[in-house]
Amino acid sequence: EKAASSIGRFPLVPVRGVPLMSHIANNWDSVWAFKPDPSDILIATYPKAGTTWTQEIIDLLLHNGDAEACKRAPTPVRSPFLEIASPPPIPSGLDLLKKMNPPRLIKTHLPFQLVPPGFWENKCKVIYVARNAKDNLVSYYFFDQMNKTQPEPGPFDGYIHKFMRGELGWGSWYDHVKGYWLEREKKNILYLFYEDMKENPQREVERIMRYLDVSVSDEAVRQIVELTSFKNMKENPMANYSCIPSPVFDQSISPFMRKGEVGDWTNHFTAEQSKVFDEDYDKQMRDLDIPFRVML
Ligand code: A3P
């Protein structure tokens, strides 16, 4: 309780131009020097793109769809968050990783250029999940209200502008999705979309399975799809972040498993906000054609 209440909202400090929470920036050299094992798997996302969902799918794939095995510990313990170094009760990623044997399933929100080079040197499997900008923004807005370690989100309209300018934690969404997209072939990154996972989870689970070179039965795939439905993960205490105490994640403000839908942005953006956002989006995304879908 004491540790939790001493956490507070961390300011953002730029690391090579990318705003990161100060506890990450202060620990940057150890993050950058991290040496993964070639068998480690990295799951990379911009915050709120479907990280936890994908972590659960992969953990289940690595455990042959065994629900009980995947309830051995909460998500951030089963699958450490590489750059997180905040005080207890949020476990430090590097500390957890030291105690685990490979293959480890490692989560990061770092943009491509800040991923520790050891991952590329060791040719680790890297799975990136991208989510359409407007839903990603809305999800982040609610998260920044309930996550007491992140900077105050302020009013929604101002938040939209911070998002467009790349001023939120982990920086620009636009640079993030583009950075991994540009390198996906050279670095053998599996690039997934949240919207594809919603549309056809079985297809995407099988895609991940093939990429990871694991093979589980059709029955296990069906079981994994079922166990990782939004509803089941929301009710699963080992997947819904109820492990983080309320002074840190106040789920009475907004649950971690909030809505889990495509197109929720239409409930939050006004027509005018949407227009301003789209005009800016076209400029920022003009150089690349990444096939995002804002509705299903
Ligand atoms: P919403 O806020 O739109 O509901 P991350 O894990 O990267 O922090 O992403 C969290 C977002 O993914 C939240 O979005 C959360 O509800 C959604 N999510 C988590 N598990 C999900 C699942 N099994 N199916 C669909 N969406 C899921």
Side-chain angles (χ1 to χ4, degrees):
E1 182 67 291
K2 190 157 177 292
S5 58
S6 69
I7 283 189
R9 292 183 179 271
F10 293 97
L12 299 178
V13 174
V15 171
R16 289 199 252 150
V18 178
L20 299 176
M21 281 190 276
S22 58
H23 65 84
I24 302 174
N26 294 338
N27 196 38
W28 180 249
D29 291 347
S30 0
V31 174
W32 185 250
F34 177 71
K35 293 283 178 235
D37 184 84
S39 66
D40 289 335
I41 299 163
L42 186 68
I43 146 121
T45 55
Y46 190 75
K48 313 317 289 178
T51 329
T52 316
W53 185 10
T54 313
Q55 284 171 290
E56 196 67 22
I57 291 172
I58 299 174
D59 194 31
L60 280 159
L61 278 171
L62 299 177
H63 288 89
N64 208 16
D66 182 342
E68 289 318 306
C70 295
K71 287 181 180 157
R72 69 194 180 281
T75 309
V77 175
R78 284 182 282 144
S79 172
F81 189 172
L82 178 66
E83 62 268 26
I84 278 285
S86 60
I90 298 182
S92 146
L94 292 176
D95 287 350
L96 283 172
L97 286 165
K98 265 181 225 143
K99 295 178 206 139
M100 290 169 79
N101 293 321
R104 299 163 296 184
L105 176 54
I106 306 173
K107 157 185 167 180
T108 188
H109 289 322
L110 294 169
F112 179 82
Q113 73 276 17
L114 293 186
V115 170
F119 284 98
W120 313 120
E121 287 157 12
N122 281 334
K123 300 200 171 4
C124 293
K125 298 258 166 81
V126 178
I127 297 180
Y128 187 78
V129 186
R131 186 178 192 182
N132 80 79
K134 287 171 169 173
D135 283 335
N136 204 141
L137 183 159
V138 167
S139 184
Y140 208 174
Y141 177 65
F142 282 96
F143 184 64
D144 278 349
Q145 296 177 48
M146 68 83 101
N147 179 348
K148 303 298 186 181
T149 70
Q150 296 256 118
E152 286 279 359
F156 187 60
D157 196 66
Y159 195 84
I160 295 177
H161 285 87
K162 283 187 234 173
F163 183 96
M164 294 192 302
R165 292 194 299 259
E167 292 172 1
L168 302 176
W170 287 280
S172 161
W173 175 93
Y174 311 86
D175 292 349
H176 211 284
V177 297
K178 287 197 266 185
Y180 285 91
W181 180 261
L182 282 167
E183 297 287 343
R184 71 194 192 286
E185 282 164 1
K186 230 183 315 168
K187 296 284 198 278
N188 186 30
I189 298 165
L190 180 66
Y191 198 105
L192 302 172
F193 293 93
Y194 180 97
E195 295 73 24
D196 290 345
M197 291 166 63
K198 283 295 292 188
E199 182 180 71
N200 191 337
Q202 179 176 331
R203 179 189 63 209
E204 300 307 304
V205 168
E206 286 171 350
R207 194 193 298 269
I208 297 170
M209 176 178 89
R210 284 192 301 271
Y211 174 75
L212 293 179
D213 273 328
V214 296
S215 135
V216 306
S217 67
D218 290 352
E219 179 50 34
V221 168
R222 272 193 295 278
Q223 160 101 337
I224 291 170
V225 168
E226 178 63 23
L227 291 167
T228 57
S229 70
F230 177 75
K231 188 174 167 293
N232 282 331
M233 283 185 60
K234 190 179 171 79
E235 287 165 7
N236 178 354
M238 293 304 173
N240 66 14
Y241 275 96
S242 54
C243 61
I244 306 286
S246 60
V248 184
F249 277 11
D250 188 343
Q251 301 216 28
S252 70
I253 294 177
S254 180
F256 187 92
M257 295 292 165
R258 189 184 63 89
K259 219 159 175 182
E261 279 170 15
V262 179
D264 183 44
W265 65 270
T266 56
N267 299 313
H268 300 282
F269 279 70
T270 65
E272 178 58 22
Q273 284 167 339
S274 186
K275 183 166 168 281
V276 170
F277 189 89
D278 289 350
E279 280 168 12
D280 175 73
Y281 185 95
D282 289 344
K283 282 190 205 131
Q284 298 214 49
M285 299 299 281
R286 166 155 61 199
D287 49 342
L288 279 185
D289 189 22
I290 309 181
F292 281 107
R293 288 177 298 166
V294 296
M295 302 293 286
L296 281 187

